[in-house]
Amino acid sequence: RVERWLASREGGVQVLYKVIGIGVAVWLLLLWAGFSRWVTERLLRRASALSRILKKFLLQLVYWLNFLIFGLVLLAFVGVNVTPFFAIFGGISFILGFALQQTIGNLASGLMMMVLKPFDTGDTVKIAGTSGQVDEMSVVSTRIRTADNQIITIPNSMIWGDVITNVSASAIRRVDLVFGIDYSDNASHAIEVLEDMIKTNPLCLKDPAPQVFVGELADSSVNLYCRPWVKREDYWTVYWGLTGVVKERFDAEGISIPFPQQDVHFIAK
């Protein structure tokens, strides 16, 4: 009986045809989904205004939508009743809407960030109390790589509901440095020394012009504000470089850097 069923057109042969048909249909489905993603990728290359994060999301969305829609079409074509699938999807969506409210909030925040582009992958940002480089972003969460190579994953709702600082947004940045000198030192001479160090530093830009001035008369020192402009990628090089070199130059010029101190007077009664 098994042999007769396997050899009959209404039995095993028909099942074999269906299996082959489903295999070919799945192969065509994958081929079509990949082709649609390739076409979408070529079209998105012309949209320079869109962020890399949004482009990646749109590619995945097009791929899975094509996979889902044409998958249902192929199932209906081979004789499968697809009507129950819609009822199942509706019930699952209703349940998930209540169970995953926080996730839906993250999804909405992720879509807003993809459209408005407060930052992109590769940017250095300060978000949700964390500083680092945007390593990867999805519609639900954002992954930050800190300076000491820690990976921090932050839900998008926490980012969108907080202040977002994009350090990499501008091509140039201002380096804010403060150097304290003693009250007995000549402030004008110290300013000239700082200006000369900025002029001789090839990483400091001449336009915008740097600023060096007396910014504060503190308790134990006269604080000089030193504000050169640099390219974004040279920020920390100039910040750390000037800080170390100024100490050596001040020592050579006889300019002292005071430490906090108090004078205590005893009055005899």
Side-chain angles (χ1 to χ4, degrees):
R1 290 181 179 180
V2 173
E3 290 178 356
R4 286 198 300 270
W5 181 84
L6 290 175
S8 64
R9 291 183 177 275
E10 294 79 12
V13 176
Q14 185 179 10
V15 172
L16 180 62
Y17 286 160
K18 287 185 177 181
V19 171
I20 295 175
I22 292 174
V24 173
V26 171
W27 178 75
L28 292 174
L29 176 61
L30 293 173
L31 188 65
W32 170 255
F35 175 75
S36 62
R37 182 169 59 180
W38 177 77
V39 173
T40 305
E41 184 179 4
R42 291 182 64 88
L43 293 175
L44 289 176
R45 288 177 183 176
R46 304 176 183 178
S48 58
L50 298 179
S51 64
R52 293 189 295 269
I53 299 173
L54 182 57
K55 290 179 180 179
K56 182 179 179 181
F57 170 74
L58 291 176
L59 287 175
Q60 294 296 328
L61 181 64
V62 168
Y63 180 83
W64 289 111
L65 280 179
N66 277 277
F67 192 88
L68 177 62
I69 294 173
F70 286 94
L72 294 175
V73 171
L74 288 175
L75 287 175
F77 180 76
V78 297
V80 178
N81 185 13
V82 297
T83 303
F85 286 100
F86 293 100
I88 294 174
F89 290 153
I92 293 176
S93 301
F94 182 78
I95 296 172
L96 293 179
F98 285 97
L100 301 177
Q101 294 183 12
Q102 186 65 37
T103 302
I104 294 174
N106 292 329
L107 175 64
S109 300
L111 292 176
M112 290 296 294
M113 289 191 292
M114 288 180 181
V115 173
L116 299 179
K117 296 193 306 182
F119 56 83
D120 207 342
T121 53
D123 289 349
T124 302
V125 296
K126 298 178 182 178
I127 51 177
T130 303
S131 300
Q133 189 180 64
V134 180
D135 201 30
E136 186 178 351
M137 180 181 176
S138 66
V139 292
V140 178
S141 63
T142 300
R143 192 168 68 181
I144 302 296
R145 185 182 299 273
T146 62
D148 56 350
N149 210 29
Q150 297 184 43
I151 302 298
I152 300 176
T153 302
I154 307 173
N156 286 336
S157 59
M158 294 182 60
I159 300 174
W160 188 245
D162 202 353
V163 177
I164 300 174
T165 303
N166 191 339
V167 180
S168 303
S170 301
I172 60 174
R173 292 185 61 189
R174 190 183 71 184
V175 182
D176 291 347
L177 296 169
V178 179
F179 301 104
I181 64 173
D182 196 89
Y183 271 91
S184 60
D185 292 327
N186 190 332
S188 299
H189 177 58
I191 291 175
E192 291 177 358
V193 171
L194 290 175
E195 290 177 343
D196 179 66
M197 295 182 64
I198 294 174
K199 290 179 181 178
T200 56
N201 192 322
L203 298 181
C204 295
L205 303 177
K206 294 180 173 58
D207 186 24
Q211 294 178 313
V212 182
F213 54 91
V214 176
E216 183 183 11
L217 300 177
D219 294 335
S220 303
S221 63
V222 177
N223 291 334
L224 305 181
Y225 285 18
C226 179
R227 295 177 173 178
W229 290 84
V230 298
K231 294 181 180 179
R232 180 180 58 206
E233 58 271 18
D234 297 331
Y235 179 87
W236 289 112
T237 303
V238 174
Y239 187 95
W240 292 322
L242 278 180
T243 301
V245 175
V246 164
K247 173 64 170 64
E248 299 176 357
R249 182 69 180 275
F250 275 10
D251 290 343
E253 297 288 339
I255 302 172
S256 58
I257 300 177
F259 52 86
Q261 55 186 326
Q262 292 181 341
D263 294 333
V264 180
H265 302 274
F266 293 96
I267 301 176
K269 294 185 177 180

